């Protein structure tokens, strides 16, 4: 399988997890796209569900497929969220945010009973950090935040989209932080949040309950977090 086929396989497999009358969270990105497409086919066949989207892009895709969209503020608990990831380690700790929707993704994940990650085998890592860590920041002070992050043994920090900065759905900028290897993700997450101007980080820790990994040989691997 090539990368596109693996993404499609993982997304379509995850659509089987959705049961009638579920309130679900729908992720953002190239693998979550296929989950939403498969869900749309099931809705066309009569499946009744409601969904909370993690981005305007996903909301538009779902709405076009007649999947009813609710606002996060209008729900108490989401039964199941399916989303992608940029890196997945053996303990199901994640780096997310490559698609620029990390703030809404994390809010939806935190409101979910289950977070199932869909990915292809290239996203599996033994240690987080090879993928640059996205950090969402307030535009007014991004240079100050960048300087503080560089002081944290980060080799390079880039403003996404510079000189025309990428703007998130919530009106923020994203700094892509090249840490190389993250030895202690929990400590780093806390340290980043202590910098004034940081809105959220792409470290998704102790949130994922399961991962669906599509492999090049056509197989699907299910990884569950140990409780």
């Amino acid at each position: 399988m090539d990368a596109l086929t693996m993404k499609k396989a993982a997304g379509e497999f995850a659509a089987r997890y959705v049961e009638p009358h579920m309130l679900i969270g729908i992720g953002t990105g190239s693998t979550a796209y296929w989950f939403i497409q498969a869900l749309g086919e099931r809705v066309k066949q009569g499946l009744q569900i409601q969904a909370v989207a993690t981005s305007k892009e996903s909301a538009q895709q779902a709405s076009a497929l007649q999947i009813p969209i609710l606002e996060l503020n209008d729900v108490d608990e989401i039964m199941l969220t399916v989303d992608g990831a940029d890196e997945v380690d053996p303990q199901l700790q994640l780096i997310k945010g490559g698609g620029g929707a990390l703030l809404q993704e994390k809010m939806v994940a935190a409101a979910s009973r289950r977070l199932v990650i869909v990915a292809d085998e290239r996203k599996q890592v033994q240690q987080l950090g090879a993928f640059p860590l996205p950090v969402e920041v307030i535009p007014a002070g991004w240079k100050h935040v960048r300087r503080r992050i560089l002081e944290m043994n980060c080799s390079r920090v880039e403003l996404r989209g510079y000189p025309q900065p990428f703007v998130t759905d919530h009106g923020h900028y994203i700094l892509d932080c090249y840490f190389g290897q993250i030895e202690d993700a929990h400590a780093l997450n806390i340290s980043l949040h202590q910098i004034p101007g940081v809105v959220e980080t792409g470290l998704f820790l102790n949130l994922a309950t399961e991962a669906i990994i599509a492999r090049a040989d056509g197989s699907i691997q299910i990884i569950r977090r140990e409780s």
Side-chain angles (χ1 to χ4, degrees):
M1 283 188 178
D2 60 16
L4 179 62
T5 307
M6 285 190 285
K7 291 172 186 285
K8 189 171 185 285
E12 291 178 345
F13 190 93
R16 305 178 193 177
Y17 284 40
V18 179
E19 299 175 359
H21 308 294
M22 264 189 170
L23 172 60
I24 65 167
I26 53 174
T28 297
S30 55
T31 309
Y33 169 87
W34 293 108
F35 166 71
I36 299 170
Q37 288 296 115
L39 211 53
E41 285 299 314
R42 292 192 60 196
V43 167
K44 187 189 295 185
Q45 295 165 9
L47 177 68
Q48 294 185 359
I49 55 169
Q50 292 178 307
V52 175
T54 55
S55 66
K56 293 177 181 177
E57 178 184 347
S58 291
Q60 290 169 357
Q61 181 190 357
S63 295
L65 295 167
Q66 308 304 313
I67 299 171
I69 297 295
L70 300 177
E71 295 294 328
L72 181 57
N73 275 327
D74 294 331
V75 306
D76 292 324
E77 184 182 48
I78 298 167
M79 301 173 73
L80 165 72
T81 289
V82 175
D83 204 351
D86 299 298
E87 287 188 343
V88 184
D89 81 2
Q91 289 74 46
L92 297 189
Q93 312 295 23
L94 318 169
I95 286 181
K96 289 177 48 55
L102 64 100
L103 175 58
Q104 185 80 3
E105 287 175 336
K106 191 173 282 190
M107 289 193 294
V108 170
S112 302
R113 197 178 302 168
R114 298 168 62 200
L115 173 62
V116 175
I117 297 301
V118 287
D120 63 80
E121 64 181 11
R122 301 171 308 152
K123 304 299 177 68
Q124 283 187 291
V125 297
Q126 286 302 306
Q127 187 173 33
L128 299 178
F131 188 90
L133 175 66
V135 177
E136 190 157 338
V137 299
I138 300 294
W142 73 267
K143 290 183 179 179
H144 294 271
V145 176
R146 177 180 180 273
R147 186 164 61 246
R148 292 281 297 275
I149 296 174
L150 283 169
E151 294 169 356
M152 299 169 62
N153 294 319
C154 185
S155 64
R156 191 163 93 248
V157 179
E158 296 180 351
L159 178 64
R160 186 175 298 182
Y162 183 84
Q164 297 295 325
F166 172 84
V167 179
T168 71
D169 285 351
H170 295 280
H172 303 136
Y173 289 172
I174 290 181
L175 297 176
D176 291 310
C177 306
Y178 292 74
F179 284 97
Q181 283 193 337
I182 298 173
E183 300 293 342
D184 189 335
H186 291 274
L188 177 60
N189 194 47
I190 291 169
S191 295
L192 288 169
H193 275 287
Q194 290 174 340
I195 302 173
V198 168
V199 178
E200 192 51 85
T201 82
L203 288 168
F204 281 56
L205 308 176
N206 300 335
L207 286 170
T209 54
E210 189 172 326
I212 297 170
I213 307 295
R215 303 208 160 277
D217 63 7
S219 64
I220 296 286
Q221 179 185 9
I222 308 297
I223 305 171
R224 293 182 175 87
R225 189 177 76 199
E226 295 180 5
S227 55

